[in-house]
Structure formats: structure tokens, C-alpha cells
Amino acid sequence: MPRARSRYAPDRGLTGRMVTTMFLIGLLYVVFVGVLLAALRGSWPIILIITGGMFIAQFWFSDRIAAYGMGAREVTPEQAPELHGAIDRICALADMQKPKVAIAESDVPNAFATGRSEKTALVCATTGLLRRLEPEELEGVLAHEMSHVAHRDVAVMTIASFLGVLAGVMTRIALWGGFARSRPGNDPAGILLLLIPLISAVVYAISFLLTRLLSRYRELSADRAAALLTGRPSALASALTKVSGQMARIPTEDLRKAEPYNAFYFMPAFSAKESLGRLFSSHPTLEQRLDQLSRISTDLSR
């Protein structure tokens, strides 16, 4: 029998946004592949094989690649009893299957979750986070990450980011293979081939903005779900404030190493510069997150 839904509060707004984002990105994907097929008629088998292969690789292996890139090392209950104990308590509260538990050796205080489903999920905390947070604060952060697993938004973000990667790779293929065989002149195929880099840039920009928009909402949704599950929004707010304040003390070199994985993290790691703007940020502002948790705390106290 399939497992019942977890006790995390459902979020129809998140579900709706995930469906809308996937639909729009899927539409972009169809248009983009259609343009490639029209421009490179003789190469359509190669295009379909490459795009299909990349999609499968992105879906099945990106979580492992991301975990490896962030230095996640799976640990046993004997190696990390406090971390396992906190996740055990959250799984009991949420009625969820326990994910793999990992630690990343990094002074950047953060946590993340990866995995296509509850069965393949991995939740990781950095040594910097474990050293700085109190037990209740750590539970709030881990409940936030487990919410991503429960709502399956990690898998959706993985698929949603695929088109941007595809656009860049297929542009290189078109430029490498197409220009060698075709001169623009008055040849329609040659002119269309010249348009591929421009179309790819537009596709990448749109998919980037769509995934960033979804990412910001899913972080607020995870904060809300974690606060309602644990009943301690103040602990999560305290963790957010503490982690945000500690980021300024982390060496710039360490922050730059962590920055490419911001979309996965509980709190984004910024280098010397702050985010370029809310439109391009993978996370809502600290003020937005704390304001939401404050409202939840007031509602629960009633």
C-alpha cells in the first residue's frame, strides 16, 4: 500500500506554483527543441538522443551530484547521535520515512535536502551549523528541510532547472556542428542557426526567473510548514537570525564555494556582495521570513 501523506501542512499555493512552473518550462522546452529540429534538420536524431539523455541524467543523478559537490558525507547514528536524534523526532512528528543523514565539513552554517522522493531523500547539515545552533533551533532547520522532501519540491526544482542547462549545451552543439556546415548568406537554415544563441539566451533567462520565483515561495512554504509541525516558530526564527548574522563572519572564499548551491541551502551564502536583487534571489529576504514566523507564532498563541 502507498504511504499516507505526511503530517506536514499541505500548501496549495506551492502545488499550484509548481504545476504552473513545470507547464511553462515544458512549453519553453517544446519550443526550444522545435527550433533546434527546424534549424538542424539532418541532426534531429542526435538532438533527441542528447536532450532525452540529459533529462534522464538530470532527474536521476543531479541530487547525488549536488550532494557530492556540497561535500555531504553520510553518517551513522553512532557518528552523529544528536543529528540523527533530531531527524528521528521530526520523522515521528511528520509520520515520514527517515531520509539518509549526512554531514558536510564546512564552516558555512547551513543545511540542505536532496532526492527525487521520500525514499531517495538525503538531509545534510554542515559542521558549522551543528556547532552554532541549540537543539531546538537545529530541529527547526531540519524540519524546514524535511518539508522540502514532503512537498517534493526538491524534485520539481531539479527538473525545472534542466532547461537552462539544456539551452547552454545545445547552443554549443549548434555552434560547433552547424556553422561548420552552413554559411548564413541567404540560406534560411543558416539564418535560423544564427538565431539559436539568441533564442537559447531568452529561454535560459525565462527559465531562470521562473525557477527563482518558485524557489523563493518554496522557502517561505517550508518555513511555514516547519513552524506548524514543530509548534515552535520562535526556534526557527532564532536559527534564521543566528545563521544570517554568522554568514558575515565567514571568509569570502568559503562563501564563494558555497554560492553555486544557494538554491539548495536553508540560508543563501553570499560572497562579498549581497544578492543582486529580489528578482534574482533564490530565497526571500530575512525580514520576510521572520515576519511570517512572527505571524504564525501569534496565531499559535491564540
Side-chain angles (χ1 to χ4, degrees):
M1 288 181 63
R3 285 178 57 84
R5 295 179 69 178
S6 76
R7 294 196 185 107
Y8 273 102
D11 191 325
R12 292 181 181 177
L14 177 61
T15 302
R17 282 167 172 79
M18 288 195 293
V19 171
T20 302
T21 300
M22 293 302 294
F23 172 77
L24 292 174
I25 286 182
L27 189 61
L28 281 172
Y29 175 78
V30 171
V31 171
F32 182 62
V33 173
V35 170
L36 288 176
L37 292 174
L40 306 171
R41 293 174 198 147
S43 305
W44 67 267
I46 297 174
I47 292 172
L48 292 180
I49 290 171
I50 290 175
T51 54
M54 285 187 63
F55 181 83
I56 292 170
Q58 177 84 354
F59 184 73
W60 287 96
F61 302 115
S62 61
D63 55 343
R64 297 177 218 177
I65 294 170
Y68 175 80
M70 289 182 275
R73 174 179 56 86
E74 197 170 343
V75 291
T76 65
E78 291 73 28
Q79 292 171 317
E82 291 183 7
L83 180 58
H84 270 272
I87 290 179
D88 283 336
R89 287 190 290 275
I90 294 163
C91 288
L93 277 175
D95 190 24
M96 287 179 65
Q97 180 177 325
K98 186 177 181 179
K100 296 173 186 175
V101 180
I103 290 177
E105 294 288 338
S106 172
D107 194 43
V108 179
N110 236 315
F112 62 88
T114 66
R116 303 182 310 277
S117 65
E118 197 174 319
K119 290 182 179 179
T120 62
L122 176 144
V123 173
C124 178
T126 64
T127 50
L129 186 80
L130 296 173
R131 187 170 62 253
R132 289 174 172 89
L133 296 190
E134 299 298 323
E136 284 191 356
E137 295 170 337
L138 178 62
E139 278 194 28
V141 172
L142 296 175
H144 169 105
E145 295 305 327
M146 288 291 291
S147 171
H148 287 315
V149 176
H151 290 142
R152 300 179 184 273
D153 56 46
V154 176
V156 171
M157 287 297 294
T158 297
I159 298 171
S161 64
F162 166 71
L163 189 61
V165 175
L166 175 66
V169 172
M170 294 311 296
T171 299
R172 292 188 186 95
I173 293 171
L175 293 174
W176 175 52
F179 282 132
R181 298 191 305 271
S182 176
R183 292 182 179 179
N186 295 321
D187 182 6
I191 295 171
L192 193 56
L193 192 61
L194 284 173
L195 291 176
I196 289 179
L198 177 61
I199 294 170
S200 298
V202 172
V203 167
Y204 176 80
I206 294 173
S207 62
F208 177 86
L209 292 175
L210 285 172
T211 53
R212 284 297 188 270
L213 186 63
L214 175 59
S215 179
R216 290 193 295 273
Y217 185 88
R218 82 185 188 115
E219 292 302 326
L220 286 173
S221 175
D223 283 348
R224 180 166 56 250
L228 292 174
L229 181 75
T230 62
R232 292 193 298 268
S234 59
L236 181 55
S238 175
L240 279 165
T241 304
K242 189 178 290 187
V243 169
S244 178
Q246 290 291 320
M247 285 293 185
R249 304 179 185 180
I250 303 299
T252 301
E253 183 180 353
D254 292 343
L255 290 176
R256 283 178 179 162
K257 288 179 182 177
E259 210 167 8
Y261 303 102
N262 272 345
F264 287 92
Y265 281 134
F266 163 71
M267 175 69 75
F270 298 120
S271 53
K273 297 179 181 179
E274 284 294 320
S275 173
L276 294 177
R278 294 185 183 183
L279 186 63
F280 302 109
S281 177
S282 59
H283 288 62
T285 64
L286 176 64
E287 290 74 18
Q288 287 174 307
R289 298 176 78 171
L290 293 179
D291 182 59
Q292 175 182 246
L293 291 170
S294 177
R295 293 196 303 270
I296 294 172
S297 183
T298 300
D299 291 342
L300 290 177
S301 66
R302 290 174 184 170

